[in-house]
Amino acid sequence: MFKNKKIIAINALILAALLFGSTFIIVKNLLNDLSPTTVVFLRYLIACILFLCFGGIPSKEYMKPGILMGIFLWIGYITQTQGLLTTSTINSGIVTGFYIVLTPIFSKFINKTTIERKNYIGSTFGFLGIFLIALNNIDQLFGNLFTLICASGYALHIVMVERYIQGKNISQLMFIQSMVGGLLCLPFLKLNEIVLSLDFLYPILFLGLLS
């Protein structure tokens, strides 16, 4: 039984990685016609409706964790999307993946978890790698820096999930998270692009529903 659950978990992670990786190309193509804020807003809007349908209206106890998760995930999404304007999908994928190294470090200070020595070594080499990537093409420097902020946002989001997920309804938590992200986009939203986005319905639906 335990072995079957482990296999399912591994397959789920592989599927999640494939979906996550595909988003870089989709978002990069959307940015030819839509602004980063519009792409992120529509992504959140679809997710918000989806989680509301599955989980219903959350109670007050979900507000604080949902807001914190929403803020950090929004930072991750908006800076990653902004970064893709001036960096390649390959660079974006590599730098974004640095959140894996940052997560245990943030978790140590916020959630008081233990951290192994290899994480510190990984962080050092990770920063060195990002530095070399940035130097390789100065034209993509700002895009890489935005994406580094994105990796930090994703890592902090995971730390918040780790901190608050126990005993919570995931769909209700995700609803507040998505609603917060959408609200944060509103001041920067270009309303004329909402109509234009209908021409890109399928890739936007993919981003909102599956990633």
Side-chain angles (χ1 to χ4, degrees), residues 115-180:
I115 184 170
E116 298 181 18
R117 184 180 178 184
K118 63 181 180 181
N119 292 116
Y120 291 111
I121 298 173
S123 299
T124 302
F125 280 105
F127 277 117
L128 179 60
I130 291 171
F131 179 72
L132 292 174
I133 288 172
L135 286 182
N136 186 51
N137 193 335
I138 298 299
D139 293 337
Q140 298 184 10
L141 177 61
F142 285 106
N144 292 332
L145 290 176
F146 270 114
T147 312
L148 180 58
I149 297 172
C150 155
S152 300
Y154 283 165
L156 286 166
H157 172 258
I158 293 172
V159 171
M160 291 300 107
V161 173
E162 177 187 41
R163 186 178 183 88
Y164 293 112
I165 196 67
Q166 295 297 326
K168 295 289 194 303
N169 182 299
I170 296 176
S171 293
Q172 292 184 3
L173 209 52
M174 296 300 105
F175 165 69
I176 296 179
Q177 169 186 279
S178 302
M179 182 177 66
V180 169

Side-chain angles (χ1 to χ4, degrees), residues 7-26:
I7 292 173
I8 292 172
I10 292 172
N11 289 334
L13 285 173
I14 293 173
L15 177 61
L18 289 172
L19 292 173
F20 180 70
S22 66
T23 62
F24 292 92
I25 300 173
I26 293 172

Side-chain angles (χ1 to χ4, degrees), residues 43-54:
R43 196 172 184 173
Y44 272 124
L45 179 63
I46 295 169
C48 193
I49 295 171
L50 179 68
F51 288 124
L52 180 62
C53 293
F54 277 102

